Amino acid sequence: MLRQQDVGHRIVVRRIVGIREGRPLFSDALGELVELSETHLTIATAQGRLRVPVAEVHRAKRVPPTRRPTASAVVELELAADEAWPAPVRGRLGDWLLRSADGWTGRANSALPVGDPDRPLPAAVDAIERWYAGHGQPAMVNTPLPLAVPVGAELDVRGWTARPLTLVQTVPVATLLSDPHRVSQEGDPAPGGADRDADGPAVVLDVAPSEEWLAVAAGRKGGLPDSARHILTAVARVRFAQVYADGTLLATGRGTVTGQGRWLGLSLIEVTPSARRQGLAARVVRALAAWGAAEGATHAFLQVEQRNTGAVALYRKLGFTTHHTYLTRVAPPG
């Protein structure tokens, strides 16, 4: 049967769906295991999410992925993402990163176990627990899958829990700019530059966030401590996107260029409820893609929880596919 370390991997499940003439009827499901509890397992299939009671499972096993990025590709992207979301307090265990930012977002307050921790795995986890205890925070670890499966297995033994699965998705920047309905550029999308659709308001890109932009971020992330402002602004190449209409802020987004200039990172893409379903999020993404392309970025990435089906559907339409996944693991209290 399946175990917690199988979460984030491709599996096949044969389940009992009925009885006919005294014999069980079976149905097979193939997809990524996104949640496993004592009573249910949840699979992301090509047809959508499927929640299966454990009592109905006849057989279940992990199967090879259709494609898998190399370990070096996962490490490269994870380090580019770390550079794009820089925690102000940092430490190291060999190659592993330790990050703290007053608890603002899991990404900036978790260890990143890529590379060699320069000590046995149990000792590395012990050191993580001590480091976060010293900073008055619960210990957390981001485990890129399947790269960090051994780390996940060690955390399972210690009773660490897992937050919802996060998808790390990528797309060539050229794909974002090849859409026939893309936002057309008017001038240089540099500080104060704007991208404008013929039928809509401008997407303005600035080198610093406005107070209204920050208010949107605070509302989404639950406050805005000084550490948050550091994370948002302490990147050499960054742009903050805003869309206004009649003096009202309708949409926001943030773009960074990191990873030796290859990666455009997209985050905090947000549209006010009253302005949704008007294509504003896609226009913000494409405006930031135009800026990223001008900076030399060739690929874009973002991180989105798999359960956020609306955002996942939007990014799928824009051409994003899942490069790899990760789980944020949380140490038990005490």
Side-chain angles (χ1 to χ4, degrees), residues 114-317:
V114 295
D116 183 359
D118 198 28
R119 67 204 69 197
L121 181 54
V125 177
D126 289 342
I128 288 172
E129 293 175 340
R130 289 194 300 270
W131 193 86
Y132 281 99
H135 288 80
Q137 294 181 232
M140 297 198 296
V141 177
N142 270 12
T143 54
L145 301 172
L147 181 66
V149 164
V151 178
E154 174 67 21
L155 301 181
D156 288 339
V157 170
R158 296 173 183 240
W160 288 47
T161 57
R163 290 183 175 179
L165 187 74
T166 296
L167 311 179
V168 182
Q169 300 198 307
T170 62
V171 67
V173 170
T175 298
L176 294 177
L177 298 177
S178 66
D179 187 283
H181 303 295
R182 68 183 181 275
V183 177
S184 60
Q185 284 187 249
E186 289 190 357
D188 181 7
D195 295 306
R196 182 181 298 275
D197 185 277
D199 300 317
V203 180
V204 178
L205 304 183
D206 289 313
V207 295
S210 67
E211 289 304 314
E212 287 182 281
W213 194 103
L214 291 171
V216 171
R220 179 172 175 177
K221 296 294 186 181
L224 209 69
D226 289 341
S227 292
R229 293 174 182 262
H230 174 94
I231 291 168
L232 294 172
T233 61
V235 181
R237 290 190 278 179
V238 61
R239 290 295 183 272
F240 298 88
Q242 302 175 98
V243 179
Y244 281 89
D246 299 324
T248 300
L249 182 61
L250 301 181
T252 61
R254 175 178 176 269
T256 57
V257 173
T258 60
Q260 298 182 336
R262 179 188 179 194
W263 289 103
L264 167 69
L266 300 171
S267 60
L268 295 171
I269 308 298
E270 185 77 11
V271 179
T272 59
S274 62
R276 289 173 184 167
R277 300 188 181 279
Q278 299 177 29
L280 293 181
R283 290 182 52 220
V284 166
V285 168
R286 293 184 186 114
L288 290 168
W291 167 75
E295 292 288 316
T298 58
H299 290 75
F301 76 90
L302 53 80
Q303 298 166 324
V304 58
E305 285 191 0
Q306 187 168 46
R307 65 181 179 177
N308 188 350
T309 55
V312 171
L314 165 66
Y315 298 139
R316 184 184 302 118
K317 289 179 181 178

